[in-house]
Amino acid sequence: MHFKVRAAAKEDCKEISRMIMELAVYENMADQVKTSHEDLKRDGFSPNPFYECLIAEVPDEHKTKDGHCLAGRSTCGHVSVSGQRQPGYTVVGYALYFYTYSTWKGRSVYMEDLYVMPDFRGKGIGTGLMAKVAQVGVEKQCVRLQLSVLEWNKPSLDFYIAKGAEDLTAKEGWHFLRFHGQTLDTLAKEAPKD
Amino acid sequence: MHFKVRAAAKEDCKEISRMIMELAVYENMADQVKTSHEDLKRDGFSPNPFYECLIAEVPDEHKTKDGHCLAGRSTCGHVSVSGQRQPGYTVVGYALYFYTYSTWKGRSVYMEDLYVMPDFRGKGIGTGLMAKVAQVGVEKQCVRLQLSVLEWNKPSLDFYIAKGAEDLTAKEGWHFLRFHGQTLDTLAKEAPKD
């Protein structure tokens, strides 16, 4: 299936927000999503953005009339809310990433989310998104592309390993730690006075 | 011991670079350090910096004449290369961090390195640096402070856990993955054409 990958624009935040929720629903964690599309706009599309995002799109002919997307369908067009046919492409996946830094190796890129809508999987779109993140990173002189995967998510782990990723938790014993909520506030209050 | 924590300036990069190397030597990984103080200057002190850094300093009276630092010494002053006594403070630790993003929770801060010179440990300087990172993060509306620790580094793991960090690798099974070198280049070349 033909698809294209492009940098997300501010106007895509509603679609990104919808897919973030789809992914969370799939993981039975919908109640954990606290970000709105307004947050995504503010945090990704201002000076010194906190993240960058890529969008995967397929031609409109893969959409149904009500806007849901079905792969392998014949051309059926898309009727928008205004009733006008929208030419072009429809969003079916995203990769959200940001830049990190290694004091030993320098610039790195970290892929926080990679999502392709279920009907569009197995068509190379996930690989396309991830490869584009790698390309963007390499162009910015990043020497690493990093990400985290839950152990039970064997299909994803296998996918990344097959693509050449090293599992540093298994190999070197890296543990990922987090302060949040009360522990974060308590810690912040221990900061020495200026 | 009195110490202060402040934001690093461009001029601190040589000192930061020295401490990055000290930490790597301690870990028998000195050959892994590829960043120079020039890289640190470029990557941390330009528009859209890749990292931010805090510096911990103690009063000059804790330094020896040749510039090495010894805790608990009486006042001895410091003779610089130019032979002039340098008033003020001497750098004994750093915390290097950057901002990350959770699609569920929003802004986060990630602490890549936390280092205090051996003679100055056990005096609250490490906690002071980390707490300041937490404070800077909270001020920027970050809801998480995250970091990674090697499993064998039990003292550090215990330190963070004691401060309230959750070990998400132990608790939820997060694995940390990396593409680098040839696998990164290969992946980047798979990116779809624009």
Side-chain angles (χ1 to χ4, degrees):
Chain A
M1 184 187 292
H2 174 65
F3 66 94
K4 64 174 191 176
V5 171
R6 63 166 172 84
K10 214 173 188 172
E11 294 66 37
D12 295 308
C13 285
K14 276 197 179 167
E15 286 288 278
I16 299 168
S17 192
R18 166 185 63 82
M19 292 187 287
I20 288 170
M21 187 53 86
E22 280 178 24
L23 180 54
V25 167
Y26 166 76
E27 293 173 335
N28 281 323
M29 301 286 263
D31 62 323
Q32 292 296 307
V33 180
K34 304 298 177 200
T35 50
S36 68
H37 69 273
E38 293 296 341
D39 296 327
L40 294 176
K41 268 189 200 172
R42 183 196 60 205
D43 292 337
F45 298 91
S46 50
N48 283 324
F50 285 80
Y51 71 86
E52 295 181 8
C53 192
L54 295 170
I55 291 288
E57 293 174 315
V58 297
D60 262 356
E61 65 209 40
H62 299 294
K63 289 201 297 188
T64 58
K65 272 187 185 170
D66 58 2
H68 290 299
C69 301
L70 287 173
R73 282 244 183 162
S74 57
T75 306
C76 62
H78 170 62
V79 178
S80 73
V81 177
S82 68
Q84 296 301 304
R85 187 190 163 91
Q86 300 289 303
Y89 286 76
T90 189
V91 175
V92 298
Y94 74 102
L96 190 141
Y97 60 97
F98 42 76
Y99 299 98
T100 66
Y101 202 71
S102 157
T103 47
W104 291 3
K105 309 292 183 188
R107 304 175 184 186
S108 297
V109 60
Y110 186 95
M111 188 171 69
E112 176 74 11
D113 274 13
L114 176 64
Y115 178 72
V116 176
M117 291 171 67
D119 286 332
F120 294 85
R121 292 180 193 164
K123 298 170 195 313
I125 300 178
T127 298
L129 280 164
M130 180 168 70
K132 188 73 185 175
V133 173
Q135 189 188 56
V136 168
V138 167
E139 281 168 6
K140 281 228 179 189
Q141 296 171 271
C142 294
V143 293
R144 293 169 169 172
L145 163 59
Q146 303 185 131
L147 63 140
S148 298
V149 180
L150 282 162
E151 199 159 57
W152 60 258
N153 195 350
K154 195 80 172 49
S156 292
L157 253 179
D158 289 346
F159 169 75
Y160 295 120
I161 302 290
K163 286 283 167 195
E166 276 190 279
D167 182 341
L168 294 186
T169 297
K171 192 180 162 195
E172 299 179 359
W174 283 102
H175 278 232
F176 183 57
L177 273 66
R178 175 182 296 163
F179 294 90
H180 60 141
Q182 192 55 52
T183 61
L184 179 63
D185 289 340
T186 304
L187 185 61
K189 283 182 188 124
E190 284 189 62
K193 302 282 171 282
D194 292 327
Chain B
M1 181 188 293
H2 173 65
F3 67 92
K4 64 173 191 174
V5 172
R6 62 166 172 85
K10 214 173 188 173
E11 295 66 37
D12 294 308
C13 285
K14 275 196 178 168
E15 286 288 279
I16 299 167
S17 191
R18 166 186 62 82
M19 291 187 287
I20 287 170
M21 186 53 85
E22 280 179 23
L23 181 54
V25 166
Y26 166 75
E27 293 173 336
N28 280 324
M29 301 287 263
D31 61 324
Q32 292 295 308
V33 180
K34 304 298 177 200
T35 50
S36 67
H37 68 273
E38 294 296 342
D39 296 328
L40 294 176
K41 268 189 200 172
R42 183 197 59 204
D43 292 336
F45 298 91
S46 50
N48 284 321
F50 285 81
Y51 71 85
E52 295 182 8
C53 192
L54 294 171
I55 292 288
E57 293 173 315
V58 297
D60 263 355
E61 65 210 42
H62 299 294
K63 288 202 297 187
T64 58
K65 272 188 186 168
D66 58 2
H68 291 297
C69 301
L70 287 172
R73 283 244 182 162
S74 58
T75 305
C76 61
H78 170 63
V79 178
S80 73
V81 177
S82 68
Q84 295 301 305
R85 189 189 161 92
Q86 301 289 304
Y89 286 76
T90 190
V91 174
V92 298
Y94 75 101
L96 190 141
Y97 60 97
F98 42 76
Y99 300 98
T100 65
Y101 202 72
S102 158
T103 47
W104 291 2
K105 308 293 183 188
R107 303 175 184 188
S108 297
V109 60
Y110 186 95
M111 187 171 69
E112 175 74 11
D113 274 13
L114 176 63
Y115 178 72
V116 177
M117 291 171 68
D119 286 333
F120 294 86
R121 293 180 192 163
K123 298 168 198 311
I125 300 177
T127 298
L129 280 164
M130 181 166 70
K132 189 73 187 175
V133 173
Q135 189 188 55
V136 168
V138 168
E139 282 168 5
K140 282 226 178 190
Q141 297 170 270
C142 294
V143 293
R144 294 170 168 172
L145 163 60
Q146 304 186 127
L147 64 140
S148 298
V149 180
L150 282 162
E151 199 160 56
W152 61 258
N153 195 351
K154 194 82 173 45
S156 291
L157 254 178
D158 289 346
F159 169 75
Y160 295 119
I161 301 291
K163 287 282 165 193
E166 275 190 279
D167 182 341
L168 295 187
T169 297
K171 192 179 163 198
E172 300 179 358
W174 283 101
H175 279 231
F176 183 56
L177 273 65
R178 174 181 296 162
F179 293 90
H180 59 140
Q182 192 56 50
T183 60
L184 179 62
D185 290 338
T186 303
L187 185 61
K189 285 185 187 122
E190 284 189 62
K193 301 285 170 282
D194 291 328

